[in-house]
Amino acid sequence: YAGRNVMISGAGGSIGSELCRQILACRPACLVLLDVSELGLYTIDMELRARAKKMKVKLVPVLGTVTEDNVMRRVLTDHKVQIVLHAAAYKHVPLVEDTNNIIKACENNVIGTLNLAQVSMENEVKSFVMISTDKAVRPSNVMGASKRMAEILIQSLNTHKSNTNFSMVRFG
């Protein structure tokens, strides 16, 4: 990650914010923090800002969602992103299981992942790492099923001729 332009989606979340801390320690040239939550994004940006400045790492907070392809395209292009760590997900099982939230959870976890992956391919991002969950193994809830669907999509993209290497890791 040293000297590279890296974007972390879901940067304000529990996993995303820890990735931000660890990637910053690797001294990337630019670290793009993407989150749909203003509070989450503000919190991690404020935490890292002084350290990034001292390390001469360009820190770019972006308020947006992975479901907006025009926003993702602009961010990847403007900041010449080489590596995407995709941690953005709706993951709180009781909230996601509520019938009022199932469609939004699937839209974010499945369609958002596919959108960001496709835009990454278009922009010739070198590496795309999807952060998944142990709940994707034999899923018994909407969150696990939506993350499993996203994993299958990411696996299928490696069969396309592309300059982007797709991989995933399960946390849990």
Coordinates of all heavy atoms in Angstrom, one line a residue, residues 5 9-10 15 22 41 44 52 56 63 71 122 124 128 132 165:
N5 N -2.5 4.9 -4.2 CA -3.7 5.6 -4.0 C -4.8 4.5 -3.6 O -5.1 3.7 -4.5 CB -4.2 6.4 -5.2 CG -3.2 7.5 -5.5 OD1 -2.3 7.8 -4.7 ND2 -3.4 8.2 -6.6
S9 N -14.1 1.9 1.1 CA -15.5 2.1 1.2 C -16.0 1.6 2.6 O -15.5 0.7 3.1 CB -16.3 1.4 0.1 OG -16.3 0.0 0.3
G10 N -17.0 2.3 3.1 CA -17.4 2.0 4.5 C -16.4 2.4 5.5 O -16.3 1.8 6.6
I15 N -15.3 -2.0 10.7 CA -14.2 -2.6 10.0 C -13.5 -1.6 9.1 O -12.2 -1.6 9.1 CB -14.7 -3.8 9.1 CG1 -15.2 -4.9 10.1 CG2 -13.7 -4.3 8.2 CD1 -16.0 -6.0 9.4
Q22 N -4.9 1.1 9.7 CA -3.8 0.2 9.4 C -3.2 0.6 8.0 O -2.0 0.5 7.9 CB -4.3 -1.2 9.4 CG -4.6 -1.7 10.8 CD -4.9 -3.2 10.9 OE1 -4.3 -4.0 10.1 NE2 -5.6 -3.6 11.9
L41 N -18.0 9.2 8.7 CA -16.9 9.7 7.9 C -16.2 10.9 8.7 O -15.0 10.9 8.7 CB -17.5 10.3 6.6 CG -16.5 10.8 5.6 CD1 -15.5 9.8 5.2 CD2 -17.2 11.4 4.4
I44 N -13.9 9.4 11.6 CA -12.6 8.8 11.1 C -11.7 9.8 10.5 O -10.5 9.8 10.7 CB -12.8 7.5 10.2 CG1 -11.5 6.8 10.1 CG2 -13.4 7.9 8.9 CD1 -10.9 6.1 11.3
A52 N -2.1 11.9 9.2 CA -1.9 11.8 7.8 C -1.1 13.0 7.3 O -0.2 12.9 6.5 CB -3.3 11.8 7.1
K56 N 2.5 13.1 5.5 CA 2.4 13.6 4.2 C 1.6 12.6 3.3 O 1.9 12.4 2.1 CB 3.8 13.8 3.6 CG 4.6 14.9 4.3 CD 5.9 15.1 3.6 CE 6.6 16.4 4.1 NZ 7.2 16.4 5.4
L63 N -18.2 11.8 1.0 CA -19.6 11.4 1.5 C -20.3 10.9 0.3 O -20.6 11.6 -0.7 CB -20.3 12.6 2.1 CG -21.5 12.4 2.9 CD1 -21.3 11.5 4.0 CD2 -22.0 13.7 3.4
V71 N -20.9 8.8 -8.9 CA -20.0 9.3 -7.8 C -18.8 8.4 -7.7 O -17.6 8.9 -7.6 CB -20.8 9.3 -6.5 CG1 -19.8 9.6 -5.3 CG2 -21.9 10.3 -6.5
E122 N -13.6 -0.6 -15.0 CA -13.6 0.5 -16.0 C -12.4 1.4 -15.8 O -11.8 1.9 -16.8 CB -14.8 1.4 -15.9 CG -16.1 0.7 -16.4 CD -17.3 1.6 -16.1 OE1 -17.2 2.8 -15.9 OE2 -18.4 1.0 -16.0
E124 N -9.6 0.6 -14.3 CA -8.4 -0.2 -14.2 C -7.7 -0.1 -12.9 O -6.5 0.0 -12.7 CB -7.4 0.2 -15.4 CG -8.0 -0.1 -16.7 CD -7.0 0.0 -17.9 OE1 -5.9 0.5 -17.7 OE2 -7.4 -0.4 -19.0
F128 N -9.0 -5.1 -6.1 CA -10.3 -4.8 -5.4 C -10.5 -6.0 -4.4 O -10.5 -7.1 -4.8 CB -11.4 -4.9 -6.5 CG -12.8 -4.6 -5.9 CD1 -13.4 -3.4 -6.1 CD2 -13.5 -5.6 -5.2 CE1 -14.7 -3.2 -5.6 CE2 -14.8 -5.4 -4.7 CZ -15.4 -4.2 -4.9
S132 N -15.9 -9.5 3.4 CA -17.2 -10.2 3.6 C -17.3 -10.6 5.0 O -16.7 -10.0 5.9 CB -17.3 -11.4 2.6 OG -18.6 -12.0 2.6
N165 N -7.6 -7.2 -10.3 CA -7.6 -8.5 -9.5 C -8.6 -8.4 -8.4 O -8.5 -7.5 -7.6 CB -6.2 -8.7 -8.9 CG -6.2 -10.0 -8.2 OD1 -6.7 -11.1 -8.6 ND2 -5.5 -10.0 -7.0

